[in-house]
């Protein structure tokens, strides 16, 4: 792999991000899953991008069994490095089905990207929609001058805004940390392999922690 040319400023920003998303040290119930996915990004106009992605999550029966997802989103640039958008998604598993709509704001500054997403989740096992706010920060640091290799680190917090089910927890409910590599196979296709740690906060019992190798193939048109 080529030498790492990132500036000290980039390294400092990445280090701060990793510190900010370091996992909480507490008792937890842990498991390992495998997620795979593929996405296509279509530049519909100079300021509009449509993203379609699908995925499969290999999970234990105790965690709802295997899950499939399909999602479509539109992002519209309203200013330099500022996008607003939204879309919908469908999640299928044995215990329940979920239809999700969402709206989002994405800000980019250098190697950093911030995404704020508001979701409305409709389950076939609940009578009302579950509202969730997600705040994500990601750093992408090129590892070579051709930018074929990129180091990726991200942290995301999930806040539940209401109780659609009696077992739901309001407030901070989930925290994710991700780290890995993205490799450009050519100008249009890249592959990304991440390790993700997902921690679900639970009242009066140990948190649930999931360790996920996550492989995705991305295609830009």
């Amino acid at each position: 792999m080529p030498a790492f040319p990132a500036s000290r400023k980039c390294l400092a920003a990445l280090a701060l991000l990793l510190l900010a998303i370091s996992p909480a040290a507490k008792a937890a119930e842990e498991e390992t899953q495998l997620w795979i996915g593929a996405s296509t990004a279509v530049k519909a106009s100079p300021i509009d991008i449509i993203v379609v992605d699908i995925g499969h999550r290999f999970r234990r029966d105790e965690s709802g069994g295997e899950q499939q997802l399909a999602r479509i989103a539109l992002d519209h640039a309203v200013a330099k490095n500022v996008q607003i958008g939204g879309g919908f998604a469908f999640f299928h598993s044995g215990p329940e089905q979920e239809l999700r709509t969402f709206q989002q704001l994405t800000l980019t500054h250098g190697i950093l990207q911030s995404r704020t997403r508001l979701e409305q989740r409709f389950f076939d096992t609940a009578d009302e929609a579950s509202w969730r706010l997600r705040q994500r920060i990601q750093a992408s640091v090129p590892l070579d001058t051709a930018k074929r290799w990129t180091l990726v680190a991200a942290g995301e917090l999930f806040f539940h805004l209401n109780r659609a089910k009696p077992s739901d927890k309001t407030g901070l409910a989930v925290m994710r940390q991700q780290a890995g590599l993205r490799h450009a196979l050519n100008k249009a296709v890249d592959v990304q392999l991440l390790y993700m740690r997902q921690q679900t906060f639970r009242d009066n019992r140990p948190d649930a922690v999931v360790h996920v190798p996550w492989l995705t193939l991305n295609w830009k048109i």
Side-chain angles (χ1 to χ4, degrees):
M1 185 183 297
F4 182 70
S7 66
R8 291 182 179 179
K9 184 177 180 180
C10 290
L11 289 174
L14 183 58
L16 287 174
L17 175 61
L18 290 172
L19 285 174
I21 65 175
S22 58
K26 59 186 300 185
E29 297 177 357
E30 303 192 22
E31 68 168 295
T32 300
Q33 300 176 3
L34 171 64
W35 294 9
I36 59 175
S39 73
T40 301
V42 180
K43 193 169 185 179
S45 78
I47 57 175
D48 294 296
I49 297 177
I50 298 173
V51 179
V52 178
D53 65 282
I54 57 174
H56 189 100
R57 299 174 178 178
F58 296 91
R59 310 184 304 182
R60 300 185 308 178
D61 291 341
E62 295 85 348
S63 300
E66 295 186 15
Q67 184 182 58
Q68 300 81 41
L69 68 93
R71 178 168 38 215
I72 183 169
L74 169 66
D75 281 314
H76 175 75
V78 295
K80 184 179 180 181
N81 298 326
V82 180
Q83 295 176 307
I84 59 172
F88 63 90
F90 179 71
F91 293 75
H92 168 78
S93 66
E96 63 183 5
Q97 322 306 317
E98 176 190 351
L99 176 65
R100 183 183 304 177
T101 58
F102 59 91
Q103 306 79 43
Q104 62 190 26
L105 169 68
T106 305
L107 308 175
T108 305
H109 180 73
I111 66 168
L112 297 177
Q113 184 182 80
S114 169
R115 187 188 71 193
T116 303
R117 175 181 286 179
L118 180 64
E119 297 178 329
Q120 302 81 43
R121 309 172 70 199
F122 303 89
F123 297 94
D124 63 353
T125 55
D127 295 330
E128 62 177 298
S130 173
W131 288 69
R132 185 167 71 179
L133 179 67
R134 298 170 55 170
Q135 182 59 57
R136 182 173 184 265
I137 299 178
Q138 176 174 297
S140 302
V141 182
L143 297 180
D144 62 325
T145 54
K147 297 184 178 181
R148 295 193 63 193
W149 292 91
T150 302
L151 176 65
V152 179
E156 186 170 20
L157 298 176
F158 295 64
F159 299 89
H160 288 181
L161 305 181
N162 70 325
R163 294 180 185 271
K165 305 175 185 177
S167 59
D168 286 351
K169 170 186 173 64
T170 57
L172 179 60
V174 179
M175 176 174 62
R176 285 180 176 177
Q177 301 92 29
Q178 302 172 5
L181 290 173
R182 182 168 61 242
H183 176 56
L185 302 177
N186 53 49
K187 291 184 178 180
V189 180
D190 66 69
V191 61
Q192 180 171 277
L193 178 60
L194 298 175
Y195 160 75
M196 182 176 75
R197 181 187 188 276
Q198 177 174 284
Q199 181 169 354
T200 300
F201 302 102
R202 303 189 294 191
D203 294 329
N204 304 318
R205 55 179 175 153
D207 293 346
V209 173
V210 181
H211 305 279
V212 183
W214 189 354
L215 178 66
T216 56
L217 181 67
N218 308 300
W219 182 31
K220 298 177 182 178
I221 301 178

